[in-house]
């Protein structure tokens, strides 16, 4: 794979007319191969002047007639980076979602991806729980369960997880996760319940049984979202491709 090339990862997960849908893609960030898959959260900067925000990858597809590789993501901003600013009602771990999803060509999305998040100080530091101690295959199974429990979409990510594992990504840190407010509350409640539990029983299954989330990476930052806002300048961004979203919606509803 060429350093600047993009390629789909895993088998297609859907086909509708001229559109083929996928679960993940591979690109290079600072010379290293990286895979982003549906449901992943990652830091982006939409323009050099914009603040860093969080993107959640929600849809990937290829338009076969134009050969365009496309993505749809949900963006989350800190309250202080929204037009209304932060107020006393906002929680310290809260982010606010842009009301409209952003549709961007993959070649532009990878330019948005921001690798230096050292100044990002917000979010609850997640407590690590143990995955099943069954060797590398056991870890992959734990990751698979985490993926399926997080997305709850019914998609099979086993092929994507294998590709990630081959790149060593199953051992790298997931830097951030955005939960719904109820999920966040359950997670905080779980933390209180496991405070005095011996570490030997703190497995991903135990966390899920208590209504929490299975965190298999190294201490990501946990945030939550319960509100949306209209971004005043995002529509002016030249990378936004709303016309592809309109075509997709029109075709799928016909």
């Amino acid at each position: 794979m060429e350093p600047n090339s993009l390629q789909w990862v895993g088998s297609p997960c859907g086909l509708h007319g001229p559109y083929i849908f996928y679960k993940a893609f591979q690109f290079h960030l600072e010379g290293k191969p990286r895979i982003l898959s549906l449901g992943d959260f990652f830091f982006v900067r939409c323009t050099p002047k914009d603040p860093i925000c969080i993107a959640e990858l929600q849809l990937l597809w290829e338009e076969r007639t134009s050969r365009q590789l496309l993505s749809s993501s949900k963006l989350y901003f800190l309250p202080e980076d929204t037009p209304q600013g932060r107020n006393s009602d906002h929680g310290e771990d809260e982010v606010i979602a842009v009301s409209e999803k952003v549709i961007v060509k993959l070649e532009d999305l990878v330019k948005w991806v921001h690798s230096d998040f050292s100044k990002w100080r917000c979010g609850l530091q997640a407590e690590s729980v143990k995955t099943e101690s069954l060797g590398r295959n056991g870890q992959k199974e734990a990751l698979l369960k985490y993926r399926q429990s997080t997305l709850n979409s019914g998609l099979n990510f086993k092929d994507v997880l294998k590709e990630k594992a081959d790149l060593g990504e199953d051992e790298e840190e997931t830097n951030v996760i955005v939960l719904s407010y109820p999920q966040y509350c359950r997670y905080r409640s779980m933390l209180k319940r496991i405070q005095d539990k011996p570490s030997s029983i703190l497995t991903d299954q135990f966390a899920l049984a208590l209504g929490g989330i299975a965190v298999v990476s190294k201490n990501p930052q946990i945030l939550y979202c319960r509100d949306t806002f209209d971004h005043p300048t995002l529509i002016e961004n030249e990378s936004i491709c709303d016309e592809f979203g309109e075509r997709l919606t029109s075709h799928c509803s016909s």
Side-chain angles (χ1 to χ4, degrees), residues 21-162:
F21 299 92
Y22 290 89
K23 295 170 287 190
F25 72 98
Q26 182 176 331
F27 67 106
H28 280 76
L29 182 63
E30 297 180 345
K32 293 178 61 178
R34 182 176 175 186
I35 294 173
L36 285 175
S37 55
L38 299 180
D40 281 353
F41 295 93
F42 51 101
F43 291 105
V44 298
R45 194 191 291 273
C46 303
T47 72
K49 294 182 180 179
D50 285 336
I52 294 175
C53 66
I54 299 165
E56 177 187 0
L57 190 59
Q58 295 192 329
L59 194 65
L60 290 167
W61 74 99
E62 180 175 344
E63 190 176 83
R64 289 185 289 178
T65 53
S66 62
R67 304 294 297 173
Q68 291 289 354
L69 312 185
L70 299 157
S71 68
S72 176
S73 301
K74 193 170 187 176
L75 299 182
Y76 302 89
F77 286 82
L78 293 171
E80 54 265 38
D81 294 327
T82 66
Q84 301 302 318
R86 182 180 286 276
N87 59 49
S88 58
D89 293 331
H90 293 129
E92 60 180 350
D93 302 324
E94 185 169 3
V95 288
I96 304 178
V98 177
S99 54
E100 298 290 335
K101 297 179 177 63
V102 294
I103 295 175
V104 182
K105 296 176 183 177
L106 283 192
E107 62 190 74
D108 292 324
L109 181 66
V110 299
K111 295 174 185 176
W112 287 14
V113 177
H114 200 71
S115 59
D116 181 13
F117 47 86
S118 58
K119 294 182 180 179
W120 184 277
R121 302 298 182 190
C122 301
L124 174 69
Q125 198 74 25
E127 294 287 332
S128 293
V129 296
K130 291 186 177 181
T131 57
E132 288 299 300
S133 301
L134 300 175
R136 195 165 183 80
N137 289 335
Q139 187 179 31
K140 290 180 182 179
E141 289 302 313
L143 282 163
L144 180 59
K145 283 186 291 183
Y146 169 62
R147 167 65 59 192
Q148 292 174 336
S149 65
T150 302
L151 289 177
N152 193 29
S153 61
L155 295 178
N156 186 343
F157 277 82
K158 197 166 186 177
D159 50 355
V160 174
L161 290 170
K162 181 181 183 303

Side-chain angles (χ1 to χ4, degrees), residues 32 34-36 40-43 115 117 125 128 139 143 146 164 168-177 215-221:
K32 293 178 61 178
R34 182 176 175 186
I35 294 173
L36 285 175
D40 281 353
F41 295 93
F42 51 101
F43 291 105
S115 59
F117 47 86
Q125 198 74 25
S128 293
Q139 187 179 31
L143 282 163
Y146 169 62
K164 283 191 172 188
E169 286 201 10
D170 57 350
E171 297 174 353
E172 293 182 0
E173 297 184 1
T174 298
N175 304 306
V176 63
I177 298 172
V215 178
V216 296
S217 53
K218 298 177 182 178
N219 302 320
Q221 291 161 302

